[in-house]
Amino acid sequence: METTQELKLDPNQVVPLYHQIYLILREKILEGHYDTQPLPGELVLAEQFNVSRVTMRRALQDLVKEGLVARGRGKGTFVKPRVEDPGTGQYQTLSASAMRLQASGDSSDLQLITSKRIIPSADVATLLHLPSDAVVEKLIRVRQLNKQPIAHLTSYIPEDLSGRLCRRRLREFPILMLLEEAGVKVTKARQTISARLADSAVAFALGVPVGAPLLSITRVAYDEKGRPVQLLRGLYRPDRYDYRIELSRKEVKGQSSWQHVNEVEFAFEKHQSALDSL
């Protein structure tokens, strides 16, 4: 049984209580806590979290919408079984990697929100190695899977390079792919992963409450001469997106340490049947 500490909520957060509960239960489900037994009843959970039944019901409804649990009148709430794909070794609740989604070229995957030329802020200019009076193109797009938003993507491209992009294809393909088609040879990138709370614009685009926690990825891509060609700032819904890093144990000069092997980005399916369409 969960301890009081494990179920403790913070009423002072801007994140609603039902969403805090949803995140706690979602983590426990993915960790396998309820694989062989039903979740406690709605009234029991409400008492454990010290919230109203209305708040508890909203949290459970979000778990149902994500496809993690099923509810039946008089039957309780059960975790949906996750069947491992023998070909990949991954559970089928995790479908395609973000890179596979991008490579698919499906126009339904991207929605272009903003495309405009601006004078960048000081931090953007610094990351792109540009003078303070330079002009960049700012592109905001929302990536979707099965018509559900996964990520809010803001890209900054130096003006001379943005003019090479095919405008029509901005709604279809990753910007790096379009830059490479235009003759830019991208050879490396530097990436930072952190967390952020959703502001009103991002919350609206991703369908989450204002202040909801998001995975934040900042990536600067460089060409073969070491020039920054794109700054990407991506905000991802943690309930629909997972970033994993594979490590191996290596011994160097008599000391063991973890070394990076591979990284895999997963987008969460909302419906099992959608796997066949990817």
Side-chain angles (χ1 to χ4, degrees), residues 127-129 176 179-180 184-191 218-232 263:
L127 288 171
L128 289 175
H129 297 179
L176 282 184
L179 285 171
E180 289 176 333
V184 178
K185 187 175 181 180
V186 180
T187 59
K188 68 176 182 179
R190 289 194 176 99
Q191 181 167 284
T218 299
R219 180 185 302 154
V220 181
Y222 300 82
D223 68 10
E224 57 187 337
K225 296 181 180 179
R227 178 195 179 188
V229 297
Q230 181 202 25
L231 166 61
L232 170 67
E263 56 190 42

Side-chain angles (χ1 to χ4, degrees), residues 138-141 152-156 231-235:
K138 179 181 180 180
L139 299 158
I140 298 178
R141 302 189 297 175
H152 183 278
L153 308 171
T154 302
S155 292
Y156 300 89
L231 166 61
L232 170 67
R233 286 176 170 166
L235 296 170

Side-chain angles (χ1 to χ4, degrees), residues 14-16 19 23 196-199 202-203 207-215 238:
V14 292
V15 180
H19 197 71
L23 291 173
R196 253 191 60 186
L197 300 181
D199 60 25
V202 172
V208 298
V210 173
L214 300 172
L215 178 68

Side-chain angles (χ1 to χ4, degrees), residues 57-70:
R57 188 174 300 121
R58 175 69 184 274
L60 293 173
Q61 286 173 346
D62 283 356
L63 291 172
V64 172
K65 288 178 182 178
E66 189 179 341
L68 288 174
V69 302

